Amino acid sequence: MTNSGSTELLNICGQCVSKLLLTGKLTSQQISSYLVPLLWNHINSKDVTAQRSWLNALVTFILRSSKEILLQTDVIKLALDKGNLAQKTSCRIACAEIVTALCKRLDPRQVESEVFPAIRMLCQDIDYDVRSAMCGSLVEISQSIGELGTVKLLIPEINELLQDEEVQVRNTAITVLVDICPSLSKDIISQMLSPTIWPYLDVVICEKPSYTLVTVARIIGRLGVNLAGVMDEPRKEWYVRYFIKLCKPSHILNGTSENGGTDSTTVQITLESIEKKDTDVKDSIAYLCAYNFPAICFNVGSRLVLESGLLDVLTSLSSHHHFSVRRVLAAGIHEVAKILGNDSRLLLPTYQTMMEDPNKEVLMAMIPNLCTALKSFVSPPLKGQSPTIGLQDLIPALLGQEELISKTREWRAYTSLIEAWSELTTILTPEQIHLKFAPRLVKLLSSNIMLPVKRSVLKTLVKFLHTCKYAQQRHELTAQIVKGLSRGKKFNQRLLFVDLCFLVLEKFSKKFFKEYCFTPALLLINDPTPIVRIKSSTLLPHLKSQLKMPSDRPLLQQLEASSRRSLMSERNKDVLTHIQRAVIELDKGDVKLDSEPDPDDRKREEEQNMFIVRDDRHEHLKGRTSLPEMGSLEIGRKPSPRKSSLSSLSDHHTHNEHHMSNKVTV
């Protein structure tokens, strides 16, 4: 059926065979009798998609089979026949993948005697696509046959391919030569690879511009990493000069090949979306240089970075006309700051310029590592003193970054930015946070933004409150947030207040929670919106856990009275169900005595007060504006007669649920 089937059917069959082989449930007899002939029959399919599907199935068969099965089924002989010049180009390219899979299953001796002749034949093929495909597979083969086999068999072939007449083959060869270095010893690298790599790079940089420099720019970073063990100080200085020369405008190309026409090589920059058919070579080189800039700094160290002029290159790349270059540089500049250490302040002007970039993609690339970079710019603290902060100039840029992203639909990036702001407590002064960032976050709570962003805003504000330096600042900010959310006109603001209560329960002491959140949380039980009553009911057991007897007896009475009113007056069946569950949990909970030790609460209280310092300027403001009393904000809810038992009220409503309608709509 498959012989006469359509191309789509052949493709599906190939995928099924691959999955069948991966199960491992077929015997060697079944594989050799049925699947192997089927694989060889369809490996030469005229359709590229179907051929790829069956090729993947064959490679899977080779990788999952033992040496005995491979020898019994004559797979090695059949695979080598695919590499003959009499076969089509597509077959010979497929043969390169097949022999690579065989090298992973055979020992080095068998590879040398049975498979390597085919490898050499493909490396010397008349079609440059075949030579390039085989050359690109030599890294995997090198890992399979070990160092001795690589030195004896592969390095001579790579050196020969490095002199190939086709640019594509030479680019693949230099990439392979760099990539096999980690599997080789330092002696082999210094004696056999370094004498080939360094002169080749010197020749390439001086030749007429070509796409070869795009390949060099792509591998320049891992070149330094893989050859770090054999690079002495003069070679590192040469390495830096070479990179600077690669970044210079005179070596950023116009997209012509050595032959004067358009290079047949397709520029493939898989790192970012810059790969387009009309991608300019100079933008490609600039992009790759920006991508590899942190690796260059890591390879040569901070001293050479400061002395060689690499920071001037960084400044030039940060103002590049193409946004993708600035974006990839912004994503890695925090690594440069960490490498420079105490000298990272030299990056501040460049970092500020990038934070003020008008393109949102650049700003979004900086967000994940924003605080890592800012912490690197902070001077190390003296003993017994707080860090010296000199980032005032970046505050407008940080606020401008938030304003720009707030105008986009990228709510995930917006959430990440707000979460990154929570780390500013270790970087900026309390005054800067209280005057610049806290008001902006409070304003966001009442704005029309995505709910995940608002929740991030709440978490960041709680972090600001927890690390606040002055008690009066903490009081003012807490009172403002509680009042704005608990008395909010919109129901989603009041829902956020419940989230705030849970955050405060995690971070702050019982005393703090009772002072600011206890009474407003009770008022939400009587909220006119059903979904708010449902969510606030989940707070009831937690409210009881914050109380101590006998000092908190009035609060316990308020809690019980509020629960009774809710049970008696609630007419919404879904809300009542949640309240009944909460009341059951409430009855199960115990109230601690004042004399009982509470180490967890004591620890939270110590943590919340460890940042507080005495400030005489705020001594006259010790008083606090009182929060609303119980019942002052009840809207449209009439209290019911008081009962003695919460559980009995719950049972009473269980028998009368048929009188209650009004479903909750969220």
Side-chain angles (χ1 to χ4, degrees):
M1 180 178 67
T2 54
N3 288 331
S4 58
S6 63
T7 301
E8 183 179 359
L9 182 60
L10 286 175
N11 184 27
I12 295 175
C13 288
Q15 296 175 4
C16 292
V17 170
S18 296
K19 294 179 180 180
L20 188 61
L21 289 168
L22 288 173
T23 61
K25 296 181 179 180
L26 298 178
T27 64
S28 58
Q29 181 64 29
Q30 291 173 329
I31 293 175
S32 58
S33 301
Y34 301 105
L35 286 188
V36 173
L38 193 64
L39 290 171
W40 289 112
N41 187 30
H42 295 291
I43 196 70
N44 297 327
S45 176
K46 295 181 180 180
D47 182 77
V48 177
T49 305
Q51 185 189 36
R52 167 53 56 183
S53 178
W54 285 97
L55 177 60
N56 291 339
L58 179 59
V59 170
T60 302
F61 160 69
I62 294 173
L63 295 176
R64 303 281 294 186
S65 302
S66 62
K67 298 177 184 179
E68 292 74 17
I69 294 179
L70 294 178
L71 295 174
Q72 291 174 3
T73 55
D74 291 332
V75 171
I76 299 176
K77 181 179 178 181
L78 294 172
L80 299 182
D81 289 340
K82 292 291 181 182
N84 292 330
L85 290 176
Q87 299 286 346
K88 297 184 297 184
T89 301
S90 59
C91 292
R92 303 203 300 276
I93 293 176
C95 183
E97 293 191 40
I98 296 172
V99 297
T100 303
L102 286 172
C103 290
K104 295 179 180 180
R105 300 301 301 159
L106 304 177
D107 55 55
R109 182 182 56 81
Q110 290 175 312
V111 171
E112 181 178 359
S113 61
E114 300 184 25
V115 182
F116 183 70
I119 296 175
R120 176 179 293 170
M121 179 175 60
L122 293 173
C123 287
Q124 299 175 357
D125 197 274
I126 59 175
D127 195 307
Y128 71 89
D129 285 330
V130 179
R131 299 198 301 273
S132 179
M134 189 66 253
C135 182
S137 301
L138 294 182
V139 176
E140 297 182 60
I141 296 175
S142 172
Q143 297 170 352
S144 302
I145 64 177
E147 184 179 64
L148 294 178
T150 300
V151 172
K152 180 180 179 181
L153 304 177
L154 301 186
I155 290 182
E157 295 298 325
I158 298 174
N159 289 335
E160 185 176 347
L161 292 170
L162 204 59
Q163 308 300 322
D164 198 275
E165 59 184 6
E166 287 292 333
V167 174
Q168 178 178 341
V169 180
R170 296 200 302 271
N171 292 346
T172 306
I174 188 62
T175 302
V176 169
L177 203 60
V178 171
D179 289 343
I180 65 173
C181 290
S183 61
L184 303 177
S185 64
K186 292 182 180 180
D187 294 336
I188 298 298
I189 295 174
S190 60
Q191 295 173 10
M192 302 189 67
L193 300 189
S194 294
T196 303
I197 294 175
W198 306 127
Y200 178 83
L201 295 179
D202 280 329
V203 171
V204 168
I205 200 77
C206 298
E207 282 183 352
K208 189 177 179 180
S210 71
Y211 278 105
T212 303
L213 283 186
V214 176
T215 301
V216 173
R218 185 184 294 113
I219 65 172
I220 191 70
R222 63 178 185 266
L223 169 69
V225 174
N226 293 346
L227 275 70
V230 298
M231 290 175 64
D232 52 12
E233 203 64 24
R235 179 56 65 183
K236 288 183 179 179
E237 294 176 358
W238 174 93
Y239 180 67
V240 174
R241 291 195 302 270
Y242 189 91
F243 179 76
I244 294 174
K245 193 175 181 181
L246 188 65
C247 295
K248 283 184 178 180
S250 59
H251 290 90
I252 293 180
L253 317 177
N254 297 319
T256 56
S257 66
E258 285 103 332
N259 300 324
T262 302
D263 199 325
S264 59
T265 307
T266 302
V267 183
Q268 295 179 346
I269 305 173
T270 59
L271 305 171
E272 292 290 345
S273 61
I274 200 173
E275 49 179 7
K276 296 179 180 178
K277 291 183 179 179
D278 59 345
T279 299
D280 197 357
V281 179
K282 98 177 156 179
D283 290 340
S284 303
I285 295 178
Y287 172 86
L288 292 166
C289 288
Y291 178 84
N292 284 296
F293 193 90
I296 302 297
C297 297
F298 175 79
N299 293 333
V300 302
S302 59
R303 184 186 65 82
L304 275 178
V305 172
L306 298 173
E307 297 176 357
S308 61
L310 276 175
L311 295 185
D312 296 333
V313 176
L314 178 68
T315 303
S316 176
L317 291 173
S318 66
S319 58
H320 195 273
H321 68 90
H322 204 291
F323 81 92
S324 62
V325 177
R326 306 194 304 274
R327 179 185 60 190
V328 73
L329 189 66
I333 193 172
H334 66 284
E335 295 291 347
V336 181
K338 288 195 295 186
I339 293 168
L340 292 179
N342 296 339
D343 296 315
S344 61
R345 284 177 167 273
L346 298 173
L347 297 178
L348 270 174
T350 303
Y351 196 80
Q352 182 177 356
T353 301
M354 299 181 72
M355 290 187 68
E356 296 171 349
D357 196 289
N359 191 288
K360 67 175 183 179
E361 298 288 340
V362 179
L363 302 182
M364 290 168 59
M366 301 178 72
I367 290 174
N369 302 290
L370 178 64
C371 286
T372 302
L374 293 179
K375 289 178 182 178
S376 301
F377 299 143
V378 178
S379 300
L382 299 176
K383 187 175 181 180
Q385 297 182 2
S386 60
T388 303
I389 306 296
L391 305 178
Q392 294 87 348
D393 295 337
L394 290 181
I395 293 178
L398 284 167
L399 295 173
Q401 192 178 39
E402 182 272 331
E403 183 179 0
L404 179 61
I405 295 182
S406 66
K407 297 177 182 178
T408 68
R409 296 180 179 271
E410 303 292 340
W411 63 269
R412 290 182 177 86
Y414 201 2
T415 301
S416 300
L417 175 63
I418 299 301
E419 290 175 352
W421 277 14
S422 65
E423 300 298 326
L424 294 178
T425 55
T426 61
I427 301 170
L428 302 178
T429 63
E431 290 81 2
Q432 290 170 335
I433 291 176
H434 187 72
L435 296 176
K436 299 293 185 180
F437 293 92
R440 176 58 182 165
L441 293 178
V442 172
K443 186 178 179 181
L444 288 177
L445 289 177
S446 59
S447 62
N448 187 22
I449 57 176
M450 295 285 187
L451 181 59
V453 181
K454 287 189 177 182
R455 287 176 175 166
S456 297
V457 169
L458 273 183
K459 292 179 182 178
T460 303
L461 282 172
V462 171
K463 182 69 175 293
F464 285 175
L465 292 172
H466 192 255
T467 57
C468 195
K469 191 175 181 181
Y470 302 118
Q472 180 60 22
Q473 286 183 354
R474 176 182 288 174
H475 158 67
E476 292 174 353
L477 185 56
T478 305
Q480 185 180 7
I481 297 171
V482 170
K483 181 179 179 180
L485 294 180
S486 64
R487 301 182 183 181
K489 295 181 179 180
K490 298 179 179 179
F491 79 93
N492 53 11
Q493 290 178 299
R494 302 194 294 276
L495 287 174
L496 279 176
F497 177 73
V498 181
D499 294 331
L500 174 66
C501 289
F502 282 111
L503 292 174
V504 173
L505 285 171
E506 293 177 8
K507 283 285 186 180
F508 290 89
S509 64
K510 295 180 178 180
K511 179 181 177 181
F512 185 91
F513 181 85
K514 289 181 289 187
E515 184 179 4
Y516 291 101
C517 299
F518 191 92
T519 302
L522 281 181
L523 296 178
L524 292 184
I525 300 296
N526 301 293
D527 193 89
T529 307
I531 186 61
V532 178
R533 301 200 298 275
I534 286 179
K535 190 168 184 179
S536 61
S537 67
T538 60
L539 269 176
L540 293 178
H542 300 279
L543 294 180
K544 187 175 181 179
S545 67
Q546 301 299 300
L547 303 179
K548 289 187 176 182
M549 296 298 286
S551 60
D552 292 329
R553 185 179 299 277
L555 295 179
L556 181 59
Q557 292 174 350
Q558 288 185 9
L559 176 60
E560 292 178 347
S562 178
S563 301
R564 289 189 185 99
R565 280 196 295 271
S566 298
L567 281 172
M568 295 300 298
S569 62
E570 186 57 60
R571 292 295 177 265
N572 188 296
K573 184 177 179 180
D574 294 332
V575 178
L576 182 62
T577 301
H578 285 81
I579 294 178
Q580 288 172 342
R581 293 173 184 171
V583 167
I584 293 174
E585 294 295 326
L586 191 65
D587 288 342
K588 292 179 181 178
D590 297 327
V591 179
K592 290 188 176 182
L593 300 177
D594 291 329
S595 58
E596 291 185 51
D598 193 345
D600 293 335
D601 183 58
R602 184 177 180 181
K603 181 180 179 181
R604 286 195 296 269
E605 188 169 6
E606 290 175 353
E607 289 176 351
Q608 80 185 33
N609 294 329
M610 65 183 297
F611 299 98
I612 298 294
V613 297
R614 181 180 177 84
D615 189 358
D616 294 334
R617 294 174 300 173
H618 300 300
E619 285 298 309
H620 66 286
L621 296 174
K622 285 184 178 179
R624 181 176 66 86
T625 304
S626 60
L627 291 173
E629 295 297 330
M630 186 65 192
S632 62
L633 290 182
E634 291 189 21
I635 303 174
R637 310 288 301 172
K638 294 184 179 180
S640 299
R642 183 170 178 170
K643 300 296 181 180
S644 60
S645 173
L646 297 180
S647 298
S648 62
L649 290 174
S650 177
D651 296 337
H652 169 74
H653 278 275
T654 302
H655 293 293
N656 294 279
E657 286 185 355
H658 63 279
H659 295 294
M660 303 173 186
S661 55
N662 301 335
K663 295 294 182 179
V664 178
T665 55
V666 182

